[in-house]
Amino acid sequence: RPDGLAVVRVGLGEDFAAARLTEALSGLARLRPGLRLDIRCDAGSELRRAFGQGELDIAVIKRDAGIGTAVASWPERLVWVASRRHGVPPDDPVPLVAYGQGCIYRARAIHALESAGRRWRIAFTGSNLPAVQAAIASGFGIGILVERSVRDDLRILRPEEGYPPVPPSELAVMLQPGAGPAVRMVAEQLAESCAEERPEAA
């Protein structure tokens, strides 16, 4: 660039430590005056689309395990959860609390129920993690979350309660092919910050 700035476009999933990662990137930008970061925090389905179309240099997203290359990746254990206060709502059909279309958690929940011969309906659609957590805690229905996202007002459902196990997903730091040194440096910083957030994966 003529102004000497290295611009790096980064996409962060809104439900994984976005505040912590944003703080790490802000510190990185302050330490390197020649670096300009363009940060986008969005739903995973939108980030996957943007990354696939070359609108992002780096994306930190949830994905199916082992699909494609990544700078770093960590398994994410998915669990069924219900409200601790309201219990499991009547389940014929199963009322689901889910993210919008394109979310891998939503797809996993529907596939698991259909494979087990269970009927389902969407009771609540949330655009972010706090909305989904609050809806489950309020008794709208049950849903799938990463185990570390289960708040105190939620309860993990046991297999004997009739909810089939769900395969793990993966958190991945993805990088466009042929990325330059500035992009790679930012990706490595993000990978380090993600690892700090996940001591169980260290």
Side-chain angles (χ1 to χ4, degrees):
R1 288 173 55 93
D3 56 11
L5 283 176
V7 179
V8 180
R9 303 164 300 167
V10 182
L12 301 177
E14 54 195 0
D15 63 345
F16 176 78
R20 169 71 181 267
L21 297 185
T22 302
E23 181 66 28
L25 291 173
S26 176
L28 185 63
R30 285 194 298 273
L31 288 171
R32 296 179 177 268
L35 177 67
R36 193 180 86 196
L37 296 175
D38 178 356
I39 309 295
R40 176 174 174 178
C41 189
D42 212 333
S45 56
E46 181 58 23
L47 293 181
R48 284 191 293 274
R49 182 204 63 77
F51 185 79
Q53 294 184 359
E55 297 170 14
L56 296 170
D57 300 306
I58 302 167
V60 182
I61 59 174
K62 308 290 181 75
R63 67 181 192 178
D64 289 325
I67 293 185
T69 58
V71 175
S73 62
W74 301 265
E76 302 244 279
R77 182 166 178 254
L78 302 179
V79 292
W80 290 101
V81 293
S83 169
R84 187 173 291 280
R85 183 158 57 100
H86 297 286
V88 181
D91 65 352
D92 189 25
V94 174
L96 283 180
V97 175
Y99 292 96
Q101 295 281 359
C103 171
I104 65 172
Y105 296 174
R106 178 186 177 117
R108 293 275 175 88
I110 291 170
H111 182 264
L113 289 173
E114 290 184 344
S115 296
R118 306 282 297 275
R119 297 195 308 147
W120 58 273
R121 64 181 178 87
I122 298 295
F124 184 99
T125 299
S127 62
N128 54 53
L129 177 61
V132 169
Q133 289 169 320
I136 297 172
S138 299
F140 273 101
I142 67 167
I144 285 178
L145 292 177
V146 175
E147 189 173 25
R148 61 179 162 70
S149 298
V150 179
R151 307 186 317 195
D152 290 342
D153 54 359
L154 303 174
R155 179 177 72 83
I156 296 176
L157 296 174
R158 301 181 304 276
E160 55 267 28
E161 293 180 81
Y163 292 92
V166 184
S169 61
E170 182 175 85
L171 178 75
V173 180
M174 299 173 62
L175 184 66
Q176 293 288 2
V183 174
R184 290 190 171 279
M185 182 264 297
V186 173
E188 288 164 6
Q189 177 64 48
L190 277 169
E192 287 178 17
S193 297
C194 288
E196 289 169 6
E197 283 291 317
R198 299 185 48 78
E200 74 274 17

Coordinates of all heavy atoms in Angstrom, one line a residue, residues 53-129:
Q53 N -15.2 -16.2 0.1 CA -15.2 -15.3 -1.0 C -14.0 -14.3 -1.0 O -14.0 -13.4 -1.8 CB -16.5 -14.5 -1.0 CG -17.7 -15.4 -1.3 CD -19.0 -14.6 -1.4 OE1 -19.1 -13.4 -1.3 NE2 -20.1 -15.3 -1.7
G54 N -13.1 -14.6 -0.1 CA -11.9 -13.7 0.0 C -12.1 -12.4 0.6 O -11.2 -11.5 0.5
E55 N -13.1 -12.2 1.3 CA -13.4 -10.9 2.0 C -12.6 -10.8 3.3 O -12.5 -9.7 3.9 CB -14.9 -10.7 2.2 CG -15.7 -10.6 1.0 CD -17.2 -10.7 1.3 OE1 -17.6 -10.5 2.4 OE2 -18.0 -10.9 0.3
L56 N -12.1 -11.9 3.8 CA -11.4 -11.9 5.1 C -10.0 -12.6 4.8 O -9.9 -13.6 4.1 CB -12.1 -12.7 6.2 CG -13.5 -12.1 6.6 CD1 -14.2 -13.2 7.5 CD2 -13.3 -10.8 7.4
D57 N -9.0 -12.1 5.5 CA -7.7 -12.8 5.5 C -7.6 -13.9 6.5 O -6.9 -14.9 6.2 CB -6.6 -11.7 5.7 CG -6.6 -10.6 4.7 OD1 -6.5 -10.9 3.5 OD2 -6.6 -9.4 5.2
I58 N -8.2 -13.7 7.6 CA -8.2 -14.7 8.7 C -9.6 -14.8 9.2 O -10.4 -13.8 9.3 CB -7.3 -14.2 9.9 CG1 -5.9 -13.9 9.4 CG2 -7.3 -15.2 11.0 CD1 -5.0 -13.1 10.4
A59 N -10.0 -16.0 9.6 CA -11.3 -16.3 10.3 C -11.1 -17.2 11.4 O -10.4 -18.2 11.3 CB -12.3 -16.8 9.3
V60 N -11.7 -16.9 12.6 CA -11.7 -17.8 13.7 C -13.1 -18.2 13.9 O -14.0 -17.5 14.3 CB -11.3 -17.0 15.0 CG1 -11.3 -18.0 16.2 CG2 -9.9 -16.4 14.9
I61 N -13.4 -19.5 13.5 CA -14.8 -20.0 13.3 C -14.9 -21.4 13.9 O -14.0 -22.1 14.0 CB -15.2 -19.9 11.9 CG1 -14.3 -20.8 11.0 CG2 -15.4 -18.5 11.4 CD1 -14.8 -20.9 9.6
K62 N -16.2 -21.7 14.1 CA -16.6 -23.1 14.4 C -16.8 -23.8 13.1 O -17.3 -23.2 12.1 CB -17.9 -23.2 15.2 CG -17.9 -22.3 16.4 CD -17.0 -22.8 17.5 CE -17.0 -21.9 18.7 NZ -18.2 -22.1 19.5
R63 N -16.4 -25.1 13.0 CA -16.6 -25.8 11.8 C -16.6 -27.3 12.1 O -16.3 -27.7 13.2 CB -15.5 -25.5 10.8 CG -14.1 -26.1 11.2 CD -13.0 -25.7 10.2 NE -11.8 -26.4 10.5 CZ -10.7 -26.4 9.7 NH1 -10.7 -25.6 8.7 NH2 -9.6 -27.1 10.1
D64 N -17.0 -28.1 11.1 CA -16.9 -29.6 11.3 C -15.5 -30.0 11.4 O -14.6 -29.4 10.7 CB -17.6 -30.3 10.1 CG -19.1 -30.1 10.0 OD1 -19.7 -30.1 11.1 OD2 -19.6 -30.0 8.9
A65 N -15.2 -30.9 12.3 CA -13.8 -31.3 12.6 C -13.1 -31.8 11.4 O -13.6 -32.6 10.6 CB -13.8 -32.3 13.7
G66 N -11.8 -31.3 11.2 CA -11.0 -31.9 10.2 C -11.2 -31.5 8.8 O -10.7 -32.1 7.9
I67 N -12.0 -30.5 8.6 CA -12.4 -30.0 7.2 C -11.4 -28.9 6.9 O -11.5 -27.8 7.4 CB -13.8 -29.6 7.1 CG1 -14.7 -30.8 7.3 CG2 -14.1 -28.9 5.8 CD1 -16.2 -30.6 7.1
G68 N -10.5 -29.1 5.9 CA -9.6 -28.0 5.5 C -8.5 -27.8 6.4 O -8.4 -28.4 7.5
T69 N -7.6 -27.0 6.0 CA -6.4 -26.7 6.8 C -6.7 -25.5 7.7 O -7.6 -24.8 7.5 CB -5.2 -26.3 5.8 OG1 -5.6 -25.2 5.0 CG2 -4.8 -27.5 5.0
A70 N -5.8 -25.4 8.7 CA -6.0 -24.3 9.7 C -4.6 -24.0 10.3 O -3.7 -24.9 10.4 CB -7.0 -24.7 10.8
V71 N -4.4 -22.8 10.8 CA -3.2 -22.4 11.5 C -3.2 -23.2 12.8 O -2.1 -23.7 13.3 CB -3.2 -20.9 11.8 CG1 -2.0 -20.6 12.7 CG2 -3.1 -20.2 10.5
A72 N -4.3 -23.3 13.5 CA -4.5 -24.1 14.7 C -6.0 -24.5 14.8 O -6.8 -23.8 14.3 CB -4.0 -23.3 15.9
S73 N -6.3 -25.6 15.5 CA -7.7 -26.0 15.7 C -7.8 -26.7 17.0 O -6.8 -27.3 17.5 CB -8.2 -26.8 14.5 OG -7.4 -28.0 14.4
W74 N -9.0 -26.7 17.6 CA -9.2 -27.3 18.9 C -10.6 -28.0 18.8 O -11.6 -27.4 18.3 CB -9.2 -26.3 20.0 CG -7.9 -25.6 20.2 CD1 -6.9 -25.9 21.0 CD2 -7.5 -24.4 19.5 NE1 -5.9 -25.0 20.9 CE2 -6.3 -24.0 19.9 CE3 -8.2 -23.6 18.5 CZ2 -5.6 -22.9 19.5 CZ3 -7.5 -22.5 18.0 CH2 -6.2 -22.2 18.5
P75 N -10.7 -29.2 19.3 CA -12.0 -29.9 19.4 C -13.0 -29.2 20.4 O -12.5 -28.6 21.4 CB -11.7 -31.3 19.8 CG -10.5 -31.2 20.6 CD -9.7 -30.1 19.9
E76 N -14.2 -29.2 20.1 CA -15.2 -28.5 20.9 C -16.3 -29.6 21.3 O -17.0 -30.0 20.4 CB -15.9 -27.3 20.2 CG -14.9 -26.3 19.8 CD -15.1 -25.0 20.5 OE1 -16.0 -24.2 20.1 OE2 -14.4 -24.7 21.5
R77 N -16.4 -29.9 22.5 CA -17.4 -30.9 22.9 C -18.8 -30.3 23.0 O -19.0 -29.3 23.7 CB -17.0 -31.5 24.3 CG -18.0 -32.6 24.7 CD -17.4 -33.4 25.9 NE -18.4 -34.4 26.3 CZ -19.2 -34.3 27.4 NH1 -19.0 -33.3 28.2 NH2 -20.0 -35.3 27.7
L78 N -19.7 -30.9 22.3 CA -21.1 -30.3 22.2 C -22.0 -31.2 23.1 O -21.9 -32.4 23.1 CB -21.6 -30.4 20.8 CG -20.8 -29.6 19.8 CD1 -21.4 -29.7 18.4 CD2 -20.7 -28.1 20.2
V79 N -22.9 -30.5 23.8 CA -23.8 -31.2 24.8 C -25.2 -30.6 24.6 O -25.4 -29.4 24.2 CB -23.3 -31.0 26.2 CG1 -22.0 -31.7 26.5 CG2 -23.1 -29.5 26.6
W80 N -26.2 -31.4 24.9 CA -27.6 -31.0 25.0 C -27.8 -30.3 26.4 O -27.3 -30.8 27.4 CB -28.5 -32.2 25.0 CG -28.6 -32.8 23.6 CD1 -28.0 -34.0 23.2 CD2 -29.4 -32.4 22.5 NE1 -28.3 -34.3 21.9 CE2 -29.2 -33.3 21.4 CE3 -30.2 -31.3 22.2 CZ2 -29.8 -33.2 20.2 CZ3 -30.8 -31.2 21.0 CH2 -30.6 -32.1 20.0
V81 N -28.5 -29.2 26.4 CA -28.7 -28.5 27.6 C -30.2 -28.1 27.7 O -30.9 -27.9 26.8 CB -27.8 -27.2 27.8 CG1 -26.4 -27.6 27.9 CG2 -28.0 -26.3 26.6
A82 N -30.6 -28.0 29.0 CA -32.0 -27.5 29.3 C -31.9 -26.5 30.5 O -30.8 -26.3 31.1 CB -32.9 -28.7 29.7
S83 N -33.0 -25.9 30.8 CA -33.1 -25.0 31.9 C -32.9 -25.7 33.2 O -33.6 -26.7 33.4 CB -34.4 -24.2 31.9 OG -34.6 -23.5 33.1
R84 N -32.1 -25.2 34.1 CA -32.0 -25.8 35.4 C -33.3 -25.6 36.3 O -33.7 -26.4 37.0 CB -30.7 -25.3 36.2 CG -30.4 -26.0 37.5 CD -29.1 -25.5 38.0 NE -28.0 -26.0 37.2 CZ -27.4 -27.2 37.3 NH1 -27.9 -28.1 38.1 NH2 -26.4 -27.5 36.6
R85 N -33.8 -24.4 36.1 CA -35.0 -24.0 36.9 C -36.3 -24.6 36.3 O -37.2 -25.0 37.1 CB -35.1 -22.5 36.9 CG -36.2 -21.9 37.7 CD -35.9 -20.4 38.1 NE -35.7 -19.6 37.0 CZ -36.6 -18.8 36.4 NH1 -37.9 -18.8 37.0 NH2 -36.4 -18.1 35.4
H86 N -36.4 -24.6 35.0 CA -37.7 -25.0 34.4 C -37.7 -26.5 34.0 O -38.8 -27.0 33.6 CB -38.1 -24.1 33.2 CG -38.3 -22.7 33.6 ND1 -39.4 -22.3 34.3 CD2 -37.5 -21.6 33.4 CE1 -39.3 -21.0 34.5 NE2 -38.1 -20.6 34.0
G87 N -36.6 -27.1 34.0 CA -36.5 -28.5 33.5 C -36.7 -28.7 32.0 O -36.6 -27.7 31.3
V88 N -36.9 -29.9 31.6 CA -37.0 -30.3 30.2 C -38.5 -30.1 29.8 O -39.4 -30.7 30.4 CB -36.6 -31.7 29.9 CG1 -36.7 -32.0 28.4 CG2 -35.1 -31.9 30.4
P89 N -38.8 -29.2 28.8 CA -40.2 -29.0 28.4 C -40.7 -30.3 27.7 O -40.0 -31.1 27.3 CB -40.1 -27.8 27.4 CG -38.7 -27.9 26.9 CD -37.8 -28.4 28.0
P90 N -42.1 -30.3 27.6 CA -42.7 -31.5 26.9 C -42.1 -31.6 25.5 O -41.8 -30.6 24.8 CB -44.2 -31.0 26.8 CG -44.4 -30.1 28.0 CD -43.0 -29.4 28.1
D91 N -41.8 -32.8 25.1 CA -40.9 -33.0 23.9 C -41.6 -33.7 22.7 O -40.9 -34.5 22.0 CB -39.7 -33.7 24.3 CG -40.0 -35.2 24.8 OD1 -41.1 -35.5 24.9 OD2 -39.0 -35.9 25.0
D92 N -42.8 -33.5 22.4 CA -43.4 -34.1 21.2 C -44.2 -33.0 20.5 O -45.4 -32.8 20.7 CB -44.3 -35.2 21.6 CG -44.8 -36.0 20.4 OD1 -44.1 -35.9 19.4 OD2 -45.9 -36.6 20.4
P93 N -43.5 -32.3 19.5 CA -42.1 -32.5 19.1 C -41.2 -31.8 20.1 O -41.6 -30.9 20.8 CB -42.1 -31.9 17.7 CG -43.2 -30.8 17.8 CD -44.3 -31.4 18.7
V94 N -39.9 -32.1 20.0 CA -38.9 -31.5 20.8 C -38.8 -30.0 20.5 O -38.5 -29.7 19.3 CB -37.5 -32.2 20.6 CG1 -36.4 -31.4 21.4 CG2 -37.6 -33.6 21.0
P95 N -38.9 -29.1 21.4 CA -38.8 -27.7 21.2 C -37.3 -27.3 21.2 O -36.6 -27.4 22.2 CB -39.5 -27.0 22.3 CG -39.4 -27.9 23.4 CD -39.3 -29.3 22.8
L96 N -36.8 -26.8 20.0 CA -35.3 -26.5 19.9 C -35.1 -25.0 20.0 O -35.8 -24.2 19.4 CB -34.8 -27.0 18.6 CG -34.5 -28.5 18.4 CD1 -34.0 -28.7 17.0 CD2 -33.5 -28.9 19.4
V97 N -34.1 -24.7 20.8 CA -33.5 -23.3 20.8 C -32.2 -23.4 20.0 O -31.4 -24.2 20.3 CB -33.2 -22.8 22.2 CG1 -32.6 -21.4 22.2 CG2 -34.5 -22.7 23.0
A98 N -32.1 -22.5 19.0 CA -31.0 -22.7 18.0 C -30.6 -21.4 17.5 O -31.3 -20.4 17.5 CB -31.4 -23.7 16.9
Y99 N -29.4 -21.4 16.9 CA -28.9 -20.3 16.1 C -29.7 -20.3 14.7 O -30.4 -21.3 14.4 CB -27.4 -20.3 15.8 CG -26.6 -20.1 17.0 CD1 -26.1 -21.2 17.8 CD2 -26.3 -18.8 17.4 CE1 -25.3 -21.0 18.9 CE2 -25.5 -18.6 18.5 CZ -25.0 -19.7 19.3 OH -24.2 -19.4 20.4
G100 N -29.5 -19.3 13.9 CA -30.2 -19.3 12.6 C -29.6 -20.3 11.6 O -28.7 -21.1 11.9
Q101 N -30.2 -20.3 10.4 CA -29.9 -21.2 9.4 C -28.4 -21.1 9.1 O -27.8 -20.0 9.1 CB -30.7 -20.9 8.1 CG -32.1 -21.1 8.2 CD -32.5 -22.6 8.1 OE1 -31.7 -23.4 7.9 NE2 -33.8 -22.9 8.2
G102 N -27.7 -22.2 8.8 CA -26.3 -22.2 8.5 C -25.4 -22.5 9.7 O -24.2 -22.7 9.5
C103 N -26.0 -22.5 10.9 CA -25.2 -22.8 12.1 C -24.9 -24.3 12.2 O -25.9 -25.1 12.0 CB -25.9 -22.3 13.3 SG -25.1 -22.8 14.8
I104 N -23.7 -24.7 12.4 CA -23.5 -26.2 12.5 C -24.1 -26.8 13.7 O -24.5 -27.9 13.7 CB -21.9 -26.5 12.5 CG1 -21.2 -26.0 13.7 CG2 -21.3 -26.0 11.2 CD1 -19.8 -26.5 13.7
Y105 N -24.3 -26.0 14.8 CA -25.0 -26.6 16.0 C -26.4 -26.9 15.7 O -26.9 -27.9 16.1 CB -24.9 -25.6 17.2 CG -23.6 -25.2 17.7 CD1 -23.5 -24.2 18.7 CD2 -22.4 -25.8 17.2 CE1 -22.2 -23.9 19.2 CE2 -21.2 -25.5 17.7 CZ -21.1 -24.5 18.7 OH -19.9 -24.2 19.2
R106 N -27.1 -26.0 15.0 CA -28.5 -26.2 14.6 C -28.6 -27.5 13.7 O -29.4 -28.3 14.0 CB -29.0 -25.0 13.8 CG -30.4 -25.1 13.3 CD -30.7 -23.9 12.4 NE -32.0 -23.9 11.9 CZ -33.0 -23.1 12.1 NH1 -32.8 -22.1 13.0 NH2 -34.2 -23.2 11.5
A107 N -27.7 -27.6 12.7 CA -27.7 -28.7 11.9 C -27.5 -30.0 12.6 O -28.1 -31.1 12.4 CB -26.7 -28.6 10.7
R108 N -26.5 -30.0 13.6 CA -26.2 -31.2 14.4 C -27.4 -31.6 15.2 O -27.7 -32.8 15.4 CB -25.0 -30.9 15.3 CG -23.7 -30.7 14.6 CD -23.0 -32.0 14.3 NE -21.8 -31.8 13.5 CZ -20.6 -31.5 14.0 NH1 -20.4 -31.4 15.3 NH2 -19.5 -31.4 13.3
A109 N -28.1 -30.6 15.8 CA -29.2 -30.9 16.7 C -30.3 -31.6 15.9 O -30.9 -32.6 16.3 CB -29.7 -29.6 17.4
I110 N -30.6 -31.0 14.7 CA -31.7 -31.6 13.9 C -31.4 -33.0 13.4 O -32.2 -33.9 13.5 CB -32.0 -30.6 12.8 CG1 -32.7 -29.3 13.3 CG2 -32.9 -31.3 11.7 CD1 -32.8 -28.2 12.3
H111 N -30.1 -33.1 13.0 CA -29.7 -34.4 12.4 C -29.7 -35.5 13.5 O -30.2 -36.6 13.3 CB -28.3 -34.3 11.9 CG -27.8 -35.6 11.3 ND1 -27.0 -36.5 12.0 CD2 -28.0 -36.2 10.1 CE1 -26.7 -37.5 11.2 NE2 -27.3 -37.4 10.1
A112 N -29.3 -35.1 14.8 CA -29.2 -36.1 15.9 C -30.6 -36.5 16.2 O -30.9 -37.7 16.4 CB -28.5 -35.5 17.1
L113 N -31.6 -35.6 16.3 CA -32.9 -35.9 16.7 C -33.6 -36.8 15.6 O -34.3 -37.8 15.9 CB -33.8 -34.7 16.9 CG -33.4 -33.9 18.2 CD1 -34.1 -32.6 18.2 CD2 -33.7 -34.7 19.4
E114 N -33.4 -36.4 14.3 CA -34.0 -37.2 13.2 C -33.5 -38.6 13.2 O -34.2 -39.5 12.9 CB -33.9 -36.4 11.9 CG -34.8 -35.2 11.9 CD -34.7 -34.5 10.5 OE1 -33.8 -34.8 9.7 OE2 -35.6 -33.6 10.3
S115 N -32.2 -38.7 13.4 CA -31.5 -40.0 13.4 C -32.1 -40.9 14.5 O -32.1 -42.2 14.4 CB -30.0 -39.9 13.5 OG -29.5 -39.2 12.4
A116 N -32.5 -40.3 15.6 CA -33.1 -41.1 16.7 C -34.6 -41.2 16.6 O -35.2 -41.7 17.5 CB -32.7 -40.4 18.0
G117 N -35.1 -40.8 15.5 CA -36.6 -40.9 15.3 C -37.4 -39.9 16.1 O -38.6 -40.2 16.3
R118 N -36.8 -38.8 16.5 CA -37.6 -37.8 17.3 C -38.1 -36.7 16.4 O -37.4 -36.2 15.6 CB -36.6 -37.2 18.4 CG -35.9 -38.3 19.3 CD -36.8 -38.8 20.4 NE -37.3 -37.8 21.3 CZ -36.6 -37.4 22.4 NH1 -35.4 -37.9 22.6 NH2 -37.1 -36.5 23.2
R119 N -39.3 -36.3 16.7 CA -39.8 -35.1 16.0 C -39.3 -33.8 16.7 O -39.0 -33.9 17.9 CB -41.4 -35.1 16.0 CG -42.0 -36.3 15.3 CD -43.4 -36.1 15.0 NE -44.2 -35.7 16.2 CZ -45.2 -34.9 16.2 NH1 -45.7 -34.4 15.1 NH2 -45.9 -34.6 17.4
W120 N -39.2 -32.7 16.0 CA -38.7 -31.5 16.6 C -39.4 -30.3 15.9 O -40.0 -30.4 14.9 CB -37.2 -31.4 16.3 CG -36.8 -31.5 14.8 CD1 -36.6 -32.6 14.1 CD2 -36.7 -30.4 13.9 NE1 -36.3 -32.3 12.8 CE2 -36.4 -30.9 12.7 CE3 -36.8 -29.0 14.1 CZ2 -36.2 -30.1 11.5 CZ3 -36.6 -28.2 13.0 CH2 -36.3 -28.7 11.7
R121 N -39.3 -29.2 16.6 CA -39.7 -27.9 16.1 C -38.8 -26.8 16.6 O -38.1 -27.0 17.6 CB -41.1 -27.6 16.5 CG -41.3 -27.4 18.0 CD -42.7 -27.1 18.4 NE -42.9 -26.9 19.9 CZ -42.7 -25.8 20.5 NH1 -42.4 -24.7 19.9 NH2 -42.8 -25.7 21.8
I122 N -38.6 -25.7 15.8 CA -37.8 -24.6 16.3 C -38.7 -23.7 17.2 O -39.7 -23.1 16.7 CB -37.2 -23.8 15.1 CG1 -36.3 -24.7 14.2 CG2 -36.5 -22.6 15.6 CD1 -35.1 -25.2 15.0
A123 N -38.3 -23.6 18.4 CA -39.1 -22.8 19.4 C -38.5 -21.4 19.5 O -39.3 -20.5 19.9 CB -39.1 -23.5 20.8
F124 N -37.2 -21.3 19.3 CA -36.6 -19.9 19.5 C -35.3 -19.9 18.6 O -34.5 -20.9 18.6 CB -36.2 -19.7 20.9 CG -35.6 -18.4 21.2 CD1 -36.4 -17.4 21.8 CD2 -34.3 -18.1 21.0 CE1 -35.8 -16.1 22.1 CE2 -33.7 -16.9 21.3 CZ -34.5 -15.9 21.8
T125 N -35.2 -18.9 17.8 CA -33.9 -18.7 17.0 C -33.2 -17.5 17.6 O -33.8 -16.4 17.6 CB -34.3 -18.5 15.5 OG1 -35.0 -19.6 15.0 CG2 -33.0 -18.2 14.7
G126 N -31.9 -17.7 17.9 CA -31.1 -16.6 18.5 C -30.0 -16.3 17.5 O -29.5 -17.1 16.8
S127 N -29.6 -15.0 17.5 CA -28.5 -14.6 16.6 C -27.1 -14.6 17.3 O -26.1 -14.4 16.7 CB -28.7 -13.2 16.1 OG -28.8 -12.2 17.2
N128 N -27.1 -14.8 18.7 CA -25.8 -14.9 19.4 C -25.9 -15.8 20.6 O -27.0 -16.2 21.0 CB -25.4 -13.4 19.8 CG -26.4 -12.7 20.6 OD1 -26.9 -13.2 21.6 ND2 -26.8 -11.5 20.1
L129 N -24.8 -16.0 21.2 CA -24.7 -17.0 22.3 C -25.6 -16.5 23.5 O -26.3 -17.3 24.1 CB -23.3 -17.2 22.8 CG -23.1 -18.1 24.0 CD1 -23.6 -19.5 23.8 CD2 -21.6 -18.2 24.3

